[in-house]
Amino acid sequence: MKPTMKRRDAMALFGLAAWPVQWVSAEDLAVDPKAYFARPQMTGAAFSPDGKRLAMRSRNQEGRAMLSVLDLDTLTPLPLYAAESDDVLSFFWVNNDRLAFTLGDLDAPVADLDAGPGLFAVNRDGKGLRQLVERQRAWAANGNDQRKLLPWNTLPLASQPSQNNGSEIWAFRVEAYDGKDIGYLKLLSLNTATGTAREVDAPLHSEHWWVDQEGRLRLVQTRKGNQATLQWRADEAAPWKTLKAFDPYLEDGNLLVQGIGVDGQIYVATRRGSDKLSMWTLDPSSGELSAKPLARSPQFDVRAHLVQRQDQVLGLRFTIDAEVTQWLDADMKALQQQIDKVLPRTVNRLSVPWSGSEPWVLIEAFADVQPSVYYLFNRSTRKFTKLGAARPDVDPKRQAAMDIHWIKSRDARDFPVWVSTPQGSTGKNLPTLVLVHGGPWVKNTHWAWDAEVQYLNTLGYAVVQPQFRGTQGLGAAWEVASRKQWGLAMQDDVADATRWAIAQGIADPHRIAIMGASYGGYATLMGLARDPELYRCGVAWVGVTDLDLLYGAHWSDFSEAYKRFGMPTLVGDRVKDADMLKANSPIHVAAKIRQPVLLAYGEKDVRVPIEHGKAMRRALAEAGNTRVDWVTYPKEGHGWIEPATKVDFWTRVAQFLARNLAAAPA
């Protein structure tokens, strides 16, 4: 759960080494959004399996994310890989002596992405660098090695077994892809020393795989059309046994695999008669769930990541309103309590080496007012060492706190609303922004630093984030209640949250704007039309404006299978519900929108093509609304990537809001 302290001031580090930075003032941040949307510095770290070294990803002087290794005996870092035009995207240990990593350009908009992530491997001493996977859509030679690289559509599995004494990793190759949906995947075992790969036998149409810590494939999920299965085998010689069959577009099978434990049990999230997901173990031999759940919450779904050591499952890590680690090991529970006393105002994510024999603990500390800060803790010497920070230029004292409130919808359902008010304000009668998240079926907002929200708070606005029906992580009933409710009950929840903020005295009822991206952009436009008395203006970027066009835009990236099996139930049937879809499409209610609107789109967007924006702009013009700000970004897709785009867009937002939410003359 969220720490009990309502306001978080500076982090009390109790004598930890200071990080020399020059704080950015709130005034500077308000003037220049570049400061808030700058690239982070340190963005990840991972122990080698034996715990003798720590791999780190951080930004170098050229601004690129590089990979380095810290020798924990000497605390001496060694740069392993850095490039002038690429960033290290992902990385993981292959074994104690070798790492694998992928590359990409974190600042490149969609139009400039001309290469895949590839795959590379390097020894911990910087030697033995080898490219394994081509980045361009062509074969290429690797130095003097004339063997062909694996094709660009070969990718490593996100989760690799921690116990690996060899050089092989798990990967897959996309064999059939039409630009919208994956038709067939091939599972591979890839040798990072030789670059060779062999196909691994798996059930047809497999798209998710789980291996045990010995590197044996034990569990797969398949999908063909609207039929999915979860299948298990006891060993390589055993036949595959179906544990569950379900429709992947409308349900999750009520059996979400979170991993295979070193104890041989399958760890799953399931409802088991409840509205909320909770964590259980599943005995694969009997198919029986554990007698009691391992972790549950009365208000949130619990889907946990396993925290393991070679000898046991140590704990379960999951996010409800904030990140929580529920330790199953008494020693780790005591260690967490000790660290939390030293760092009382942050969530402190602890990681330990796989071997369990080394004294090191990696701490990633973060909060609503503080981006991640990384520390090493030596359990033998009790000494902390600060490694770095994601945003060392951000002063926690100047950031706005997030607080969660539970309110009732008009149909008497409880749902959460996050509220952030400007640091130092009274928190009352403030110009307010109702920020509607995209998706709409995405995980609920949680307690963490958010650049967009903090920037808007710095401008002097309260930010209200309603977790309207359809938001995932709040139980099955809340998610199912969103079906065929675009512009209807989902929109009511947003309006109810707005009226609640007014009733609580947070929002100045005469100075409220609604804003959001994607579905949030759709809800912004529908809010202006349906509840004009609530909102003085709106900001909608990459927003849906025509529900029928979601089906008809053949150039979008919605797959035909999703349009056939998912959308008719989730959004509405294109034929049977045509009148409802039309009535709840912003382009058909544009005449009701008289307020100022800022519309922004990426010209390369294939999720919500720019035709949505152009149609809305025409509809507003035809309805006589002349207060429309319009901007498009030629190279961007469904969201902003290029730093210059972010600065330009948020500068426009600041100017638009200042112009339209100005206080009324006395």
Side-chain angles (χ1 to χ4, degrees):
M1 298 296 289
K2 184 181 70 172
T4 56
M5 186 173 294
K6 181 178 176 63
R7 295 284 181 181
R8 290 85 179 166
D9 296 318
M11 301 301 104
L13 300 183
F14 290 83
L16 296 178
W19 186 259
V21 299
Q22 181 177 356
W23 297 118
V24 179
S25 72
E27 292 76 13
D28 290 340
L29 290 171
V31 172
D32 185 6
K34 185 185 300 183
Y36 264 115
F37 298 100
R39 286 271 300 274
Q41 290 199 2
M42 185 171 177
T43 55
F47 285 117
S48 60
D50 62 7
K52 296 183 181 298
R53 292 165 186 83
L54 185 74
M56 300 184 296
R57 182 179 55 211
S58 57
R59 186 156 53 95
N60 61 17
Q61 292 182 344
E62 288 71 36
R64 291 297 183 181
M66 63 176 289
L67 181 64
S68 60
V69 166
L70 184 70
D71 186 306
L72 296 179
D73 285 336
T74 63
L75 294 184
T76 303
L78 174 68
L80 289 188
Y81 189 89
E84 293 182 359
S85 58
D86 282 305
D87 299 287
V88 173
L89 298 182
S90 64
F91 67 95
F92 57 91
W93 289 91
V94 177
N95 51 46
N96 290 323
D97 299 311
R98 196 158 175 80
L99 298 98
F101 60 94
T102 60
L103 296 176
D105 187 346
L106 291 171
D107 289 338
V110 170
D112 290 345
L113 292 177
D114 59 355
L119 185 63
F120 301 78
V122 64
N123 294 339
R124 60 177 172 81
D125 59 3
K127 299 178 181 179
L129 176 64
R130 183 185 187 102
Q131 183 175 356
L132 304 167
V133 173
E134 179 54 61
R135 299 192 64 199
Q136 305 294 334
R137 300 190 181 196
W139 296 103
N142 181 23
N144 294 324
D145 188 346
Q146 296 304 309
R147 286 174 299 178
K148 294 176 179 179
L149 298 175
L150 296 173
W152 66 276
N153 53 341
T154 304
L155 303 167
L157 290 191
S159 179
Q160 300 284 340
S162 299
Q163 182 171 316
N164 186 2
N165 296 320
S167 298
E168 293 198 342
I169 62 171
W170 289 89
F172 66 94
R173 183 179 302 151
V174 181
E175 295 287 289
Y177 179 60
D178 61 5
K180 301 180 181 184
D181 198 12
I182 294 172
Y184 178 65
L185 301 174
K186 181 183 291 185
L187 184 63
L188 304 170
S189 177
L190 195 167
N191 190 302
T192 63
T194 66
T196 57
R198 59 180 177 84
E199 184 175 357
V200 178
D201 183 45
L204 192 63
H205 303 298
S206 299
E207 62 176 15
H208 296 292
W209 308 268
W210 292 269
V211 297
D212 61 22
Q213 294 306 322
E214 283 72 42
R216 298 174 298 183
L217 180 64
R218 305 293 294 276
L219 189 65
V220 301
Q221 182 173 312
T222 69
R223 177 178 64 88
K224 183 180 181 182
N226 65 335
Q227 298 295 317
T229 65
L230 194 64
Q231 300 184 37
W232 165 268
R233 67 176 179 183
D235 54 57
E236 283 94 343
W240 289 98
K241 178 177 68 174
T242 298
L243 300 178
K244 192 78 175 181
F246 57 96
D247 183 337
Y249 293 102
L250 301 179
E251 59 170 323
D252 51 30
N254 195 21
L255 195 68
L256 297 167
V257 176
Q258 302 305 111
I260 300 175
V262 294
D263 53 6
Q265 297 291 295
I266 305 174
Y267 285 72
V268 299
T270 182
R271 294 183 178 85
R272 203 178 191 187
S274 170
D275 178 60
K276 307 294 190 296
L277 289 169
S278 52
M279 285 297 298
W280 306 71
T281 58
L282 174 69
D283 186 332
S285 59
S286 66
E288 295 294 324
L289 291 170
S290 51
K292 297 187 298 183
L294 301 176
R296 73 188 326 167
S297 166
Q299 295 173 308
F300 298 91
D301 289 331
V302 173
R303 293 184 61 180
H305 166 73
L306 304 188
V307 183
Q308 303 197 80
R309 198 171 55 200
Q310 64 181 0
D311 58 340
Q312 68 180 111
V313 178
L314 296 173
L316 303 172
R317 182 164 291 148
F318 50 93
T319 299
I320 44 179
D321 58 343
E323 183 176 285
V324 175
T325 303
Q326 182 167 313
W327 295 107
L328 307 177
D329 176 74
D331 181 59
M332 288 300 300
K333 183 177 181 180
L335 176 63
Q336 182 78 61
Q337 293 172 345
Q338 176 188 350
I339 298 298
D340 289 347
K341 287 181 180 179
V342 177
L343 302 171
R345 298 177 181 177
T346 51
V347 170
N348 302 306
R349 181 188 297 163
L350 308 186
S351 301
V352 295
W354 173 255
S355 68
S357 60
E358 294 296 323
W360 299 104
V361 180
L362 175 67
I363 305 168
E364 182 179 354
F366 56 92
D368 55 346
V369 297
Q370 177 186 288
S372 292
V373 179
Y374 297 86
Y375 303 95
L376 267 179
F377 176 64
N378 188 311
R379 300 187 71 178
S380 298
T381 65
R382 322 302 290 176
K383 181 180 179 180
F384 287 86
T385 301
K386 191 167 186 177
L387 298 171
R391 291 295 308 275
D393 56 328
V394 172
D395 183 356
K397 292 180 181 179
R398 300 179 181 272
Q399 305 303 292
M402 289 178 67
D403 291 296
I404 193 170
H405 304 265
W406 288 84
I407 71 172
K408 280 198 179 293
S409 65
R410 64 189 65 184
D411 57 351
R413 299 171 186 259
D414 294 324
F415 71 99
V417 176
W418 285 99
V419 177
S420 304
T421 57
Q423 201 278 334
S425 73
T426 63
K428 297 295 183 180
N429 200 38
L430 295 168
T432 297
L433 309 176
V434 179
L435 181 61
V436 186
H437 69 69
W441 300 287
V442 295
K443 184 75 172 68
N444 57 287
T445 302
H446 61 277
W447 193 74
W449 190 84
D450 184 291
E452 294 179 2
V453 173
Q454 292 291 347
Y455 176 65
L456 295 170
N457 286 145
T458 301
L459 295 177
Y461 302 105
V463 178
V464 174
Q465 300 182 75
Q467 307 301 290
F468 52 88
R469 67 193 67 201
T471 303
Q472 294 181 340
L474 300 171
W478 191 241
E479 188 172 344
V480 171
S482 69
R483 293 182 177 180
K484 296 188 180 183
Q485 293 300 312
W486 284 48
L488 299 171
M490 295 168 76
Q491 199 69 42
D492 291 340
D493 296 335
V494 175
D496 290 347
T498 306
R499 292 189 173 94
W500 170 86
I502 295 171
Q504 296 298 307
I506 298 168
D508 177 345
H510 304 295
R511 292 195 293 163
I512 302 175
I514 184 170
M515 61 190 300
S518 193
Y519 174 84
Y522 164 86
T524 292
L525 297 170
M526 289 302 295
L528 294 173
R530 282 194 49 181
D531 303 291
E533 75 283 1
L534 289 179
Y535 308 114
R536 275 180 60 173
C537 61
V539 179
W541 64 106
V542 297
V544 173
T545 68
D546 183 352
L547 297 184
D548 183 71
L549 190 58
L550 291 178
Y551 293 89
H554 60 83
W555 58 94
S556 80
D557 67 353
F558 283 131
S559 71
E560 295 306 313
Y562 179 56
K563 292 178 183 179
R564 177 183 176 187
F565 299 120
M567 286 175 58
T569 298
L570 298 174
V571 182
D573 187 282
R574 191 180 188 188
V575 176
K576 297 177 182 178
D577 299 314
D579 291 342
M580 182 268 287
L581 295 176
K582 182 177 181 179
N584 291 288
S585 291
I587 62 167
H588 295 300
V589 294
K592 296 181 180 180
I593 300 176
R594 314 308 302 172
Q595 308 95 313
V597 184
L598 170 57
L599 297 174
Y601 286 84
E603 295 183 17
K604 302 300 182 183
D605 193 345
V606 294
R607 175 59 51 86
V608 179
I610 195 172
E611 281 71 18
H612 281 270
K614 291 178 178 178
M616 191 69 207
R617 187 187 187 193
R618 285 195 302 270
L620 289 169
E622 291 170 0
N625 190 335
T626 60
R627 296 184 294 173
V628 177
D629 288 16
W630 169 260
V631 60
T632 66
Y633 297 104
K635 293 186 176 183
E636 298 285 5
H638 197 61
W640 318 140
I641 302 297
E642 196 169 23
T645 301
K646 295 178 183 178
V647 171
D648 180 82
F649 174 73
W650 288 104
T651 298
R652 290 174 184 268
V653 170
Q655 294 169 347
F656 176 85
L657 294 174
R659 187 168 67 246
N660 292 294
L661 290 184

